[in-house]
Amino acid sequence: DVKVTQSSRYLVKRTGEKVFLECVQDMDHENMFWYRQDPGLGLRLIYFSYDVKMKEKGDIPEGYSVSREKKERFSLILESASTNQTSMYLCASSALATNYEQYFGPGTRLTVT
Amino acid sequence: AQKITQTQPGMFVQEKEAVTLDCTYDTSDQSYGLFWYKQPSSGEMIFLIYQGSYDEQNATEGRYSLNFQKARKSANLVISASQLGDSAMYFCAMREPPPGRRALTFGSGTRLQVQP
């Protein structure tokens, strides 16, 4: 059974803290993605990676960075958390071909106070 | 740039009836993929159905079918014989072909509530 796991389901952090969100997939997928989900806005792409140590900015990369040191692991980093980064964060992975669906993790609901 | 529009923020349907969730898209690519995902209240995203832009037949998966009208740029999801467990958010999404970024562009979603 395919699996994408995220390190936390719920996280509460203070403004200015450095936050790490971890994502691991066990399907040997080349592509990994970080999305942010907000009510009325759907899911928006923050960053994606198509290979180890490779990363590309998505639509809303400001305030975020990523790391992919191993194929199965893709980390999202909030260098200095702010209240407007309170959101649901979803990690996904997919194989290379165009018609392969993305598999999503359970999501991390981050609250920044 | 690709864009997905879902104009129905919320929908109600009676159990056992069929329901159509609307999705229109905008792209200049000739080759693209269209997806529908379901998100129950638990939060996980569940893949439902896929339609390729060159597929001549509408995709079907069990009770789900995708009404693909390429000229109108619409990709509506039809759920037949609704069940209470179908109550969830539904997202339409589009994927760029390589060498594009391979990520999905999502619509804002439709919340479906199935009533007994």
Side-chain angles (χ1 to χ4, degrees):
Chain A
D1 197 18
V2 297
K3 204 138 200 155
V4 179
T5 56
Q6 295 182 229
S7 49
S8 307
R9 288 302 304 271
Y10 300 94
L11 210 52
V12 180
K13 294 292 182 181
R14 294 199 178 276
T15 301
E17 279 192 84
K18 192 168 186 176
V19 182
F20 293 87
L21 302 182
E22 302 280 334
C23 175
V24 178
Q25 51 97 1
D26 65 359
M27 295 161 281
D28 200 37
H29 282 165
E30 292 80 8
N31 303 320
M32 294 189 75
F33 310 86
W34 275 106
Y35 294 92
R36 169 178 172 158
Q37 183 179 7
D38 298 289
L41 297 177
L43 280 72
R44 294 177 293 166
L45 181 68
I46 305 172
Y47 266 98
F48 68 101
S49 169
Y50 51 88
D51 202 352
V52 175
K53 297 193 185 294
M54 304 299 286
K55 60 185 179 184
E56 295 279 348
K57 291 181 180 179
D59 298 318
I60 51 166
E62 297 78 18
Y64 303 95
S65 62
V66 290
S67 172
R68 192 165 181 200
E69 297 294 320
K70 293 184 178 181
K71 189 176 185 180
E72 67 272 17
R73 189 179 297 268
F74 192 35
S75 302
L76 180 69
I77 303 153
L78 287 66
E79 295 289 342
S80 177
S82 63
T83 54
N84 63 12
Q85 292 178 311
T86 292
S87 187
M88 170 72 92
Y89 291 88
L90 289 157
C91 174
S93 73
S94 74
L96 211 52
T98 307
N99 60 334
Y100 284 6
E101 71 266 28
Q102 292 187 6
Y103 294 89
F104 284 82
T108 296
R109 186 165 294 282
L110 172 67
T111 302
V112 182
T113 61
Chain B
Q2 300 186 330
K3 187 178 179 183
I4 296 283
T5 302
Q6 294 180 254
T7 57
Q8 306 155 312
M11 292 276 288
F12 288 91
V13 66
Q14 292 293 123
E15 198 176 4
K16 299 180 185 175
E17 290 186 352
V19 63
T20 298
L21 306 184
D22 294 341
C23 172
T24 57
Y25 60 91
D26 190 19
T27 181
S28 56
D29 293 313
Q30 296 301 307
S31 175
Y32 49 87
L34 294 159
F35 300 78
W36 277 92
Y37 281 84
K38 172 184 178 181
Q39 187 180 43
S41 56
S42 53
E44 77 271 28
M45 295 286 283
I46 302 167
F47 165 73
L48 294 178
I49 197 166
Y50 166 82
Q51 179 85 39
S53 58
Y54 291 120
D55 295 341
E56 294 186 354
Q57 303 235 341
N58 287 342
T60 59
E61 290 286 348
R63 295 186 298 110
Y64 303 108
S65 60
L66 199 152
N67 184 0
F68 181 47
Q69 298 188 42
K70 196 169 182 177
R72 297 181 61 186
K73 292 189 174 179
S74 74
N76 299 338
L77 178 71
V78 180
I79 305 174
S80 62
S82 297
Q83 302 172 356
L84 295 177
D86 294 334
S87 294
M89 281 290 288
Y90 288 81
F91 291 97
C92 180
M94 171 185 282
R95 180 173 178 172
E96 297 175 24
R101 61 185 191 179
R102 310 169 205 177
L104 293 175
T105 300
F106 285 85
S108 55
T110 296
R111 182 171 298 280
L112 176 67
Q113 295 187 53
V114 180
Q115 297 176 319

